[in-house]
Amino acid sequence: MGKNRIVIVDDEPVIRMDFREILTLNGYFVAGEAADGFDAVELCRREKPDLVIMDIKMSVFDGLSAAEVILSEGLSDCVILVSAYNDKEFFKKAKHAGVMNYLIKPVREKVLIPAVEMALAKSLEIRSMKNKMTKMEEDTKNAKIIERAKYLLASSSDISEKEAYEKLRKLSMDKRCSMAKIAESILSQDSAKAFTEKAKVYLMKKYELSEQAAYLRIKRLSSEKKLSLSEAAAEILNNAGK
């Protein structure tokens, strides 16, 4: 059995000790203990445990409220709440908050361990699903960036989009960098050029300068303040209220 990291939260030290002993004997690692919901949240922010086993009724920040914070902030994927009372209203609220299980005290080993195993298995499924969703979102975002860079490269170099794509792919291989990163760099450069062009046009109109004189003014500011051309252009436009 792997060493899953578990946090125990209960305002009764004896119960925390009992849970720790049961969990340790069954191959789990207790990453920390807390006596109230407030400390539980802070502990989970530090430890990012695989599972939190937490009492509901505590003097400072009850377990249900703490569970809502822990789950909403992604501090742990998995919470089991424990109570001395079989309260249907609490059970409904716990279910709504995304709590994995709700156990009634006294919690014996034969009840606790199966509940822990089931909760961790479900948590693993949820984590896997989240990772897949995150990867899909990232892939979609990268595809859009590559598509924009491909179109820009094709337009500026007077080549087909297929040739632009091959150029991006070759750059990616040569630089040993993802196509999305190469595409981002191309788009960033284009954005910087557009920014500099806008500042140049502003200076030409404002001071009746030639295109070359306006460019030299941006370049001088860049040199004086040790900024990039686009940063110098941004400062000019900011000062102009653009």
Side-chain angles (χ1 to χ4, degrees), residues 12-61:
E12 295 184 44
V14 175
I15 291 177
R16 294 202 305 272
M17 185 176 68
D18 286 346
F19 280 171
R20 176 183 278 273
E21 185 177 350
I22 292 169
L23 292 166
T24 303
L25 286 172
N26 282 273
Y28 296 103
F29 175 70
V30 177
E33 297 180 18
D36 60 60
F38 180 83
D39 287 345
V41 171
E42 293 305 308
L43 179 59
C44 288
R45 284 191 177 125
R46 289 197 308 273
E47 298 295 335
K48 299 291 193 299
D50 298 302
L51 169 65
V52 182
I53 300 173
M54 183 158 49
D55 188 27
I56 286 182
K57 299 261 183 160
M58 291 181 288
S59 55
V60 181
F61 203 45

Side-chain angles (χ1 to χ4, degrees), residues 169-180:
R169 194 164 71 87
K170 188 175 184 307
L171 277 169
S172 171
M173 291 170 67
D174 291 345
K175 300 291 184 184
R176 294 182 182 179
C177 184
S178 70
M179 281 184 71

